[in-house]
Amino acid sequence: MSPAFGSDSSSKSVINALQILEEVATMGPGVTAVELSRHLGLSKSATYRLVNLLAQEEYLVRTPDLGGFALGARIDRMIGAAAGPPVSDQLRTVLDEVRAGLRFGVHLFGCHRAGTSRARLSLMDIDPDYPLSDPGRLLHDLTASAAGRLMTAIGSGHPAAAPTHASQIGSFIPNFGCVSVPVWGADSTLVAALTIAAPAKHIENPETLVRLLADPARRVAEIMAPGEE
């Protein structure tokens, strides 16, 4: 513990709470209080007390199955909804070309699965004309978005055995949804998801949108390959 915080119990609780937030950010959505207790060396009672307080204050949020935790709305506001670094001019050109030819929103989400940590999404480039309605939920609930569902379905699988797309309707806005296609890295791992957001009638039969995204997804993969994580 840093000496600047002193050694009283209140200071220790603050440091422990910050360590919990850092651990949730590192391990990803779904980490449980038991896992936090074990990883941080805290007692279960202290961990439960702190995660419940952090959830009450919206620094954490419970995952849909109520079994674990994710970063909450107040953290999203602090870090700009976990936006990634600015994309390159070359990548932006590809995305702008796709957007110019469609009446729908086009978003690019980063997909990360480093080592044994949980899968997570990041916001690489969000269509400025079609802002996300709930970026916090999109990032923390992989079952809600097309990008999250795609990432979950693919897991650590190879492109040859992977689904061509994933979709959702009504998770965020009634009668509206999105469809995502994979962007593959040079080592055949999923590095991003290219997504179109559109009215439900277009998502119900997504084959046309999937075809429209195929070539842009390939071009995005070629641009990302030299600098992918």
Side-chain angles (χ1 to χ4, degrees), residues 29-30 61-70 137 140-144:
V61 63
R62 289 188 180 275
T63 50
D65 62 4
L66 302 181
F69 295 88
R137 183 183 174 208
H140 300 146
D141 180 3
L142 296 183
T143 68

Side-chain angles (χ1 to χ4, degrees), residues 102-191:
L102 292 172
R103 296 171 294 147
F104 313 127
V106 177
H107 310 301
L108 182 65
F109 301 103
C111 299
H112 311 271
R113 190 187 294 273
T116 58
S117 65
R118 287 178 170 81
R120 62 182 179 88
L121 293 172
S122 65
L123 311 182
M124 290 189 66
D125 195 87
I126 304 305
D127 195 324
D129 294 328
Y130 297 87
L132 301 175
S133 61
D134 190 347
R137 183 183 174 208
L138 183 145
L139 291 173
H140 300 146
D141 180 3
L142 296 183
T143 68
S145 67
R149 293 178 183 183
L150 180 69
M151 191 175 185
T152 300
I154 289 176
S156 57
H158 190 274
T164 59
H165 67 280
S167 61
Q168 68 81 14
I169 295 175
S171 291
F172 299 94
I173 301 174
N175 300 315
F176 207 84
C178 54
V179 58
S180 293
V181 301
V183 175
W184 297 103
D187 59 353
S188 297
T189 59
L190 183 70
V191 295

Side-chain angles (χ1 to χ4, degrees), residues 27-52:
M27 298 184 69
V31 59
T32 66
V34 172
E35 290 174 320
L36 291 169
S37 173
R38 182 171 63 250
H39 280 246
L40 295 174
L42 300 175
S43 69
K44 290 183 179 179
S45 60
T47 303
Y48 279 113
R49 177 175 59 82
L50 287 171
V51 296
N52 285 329

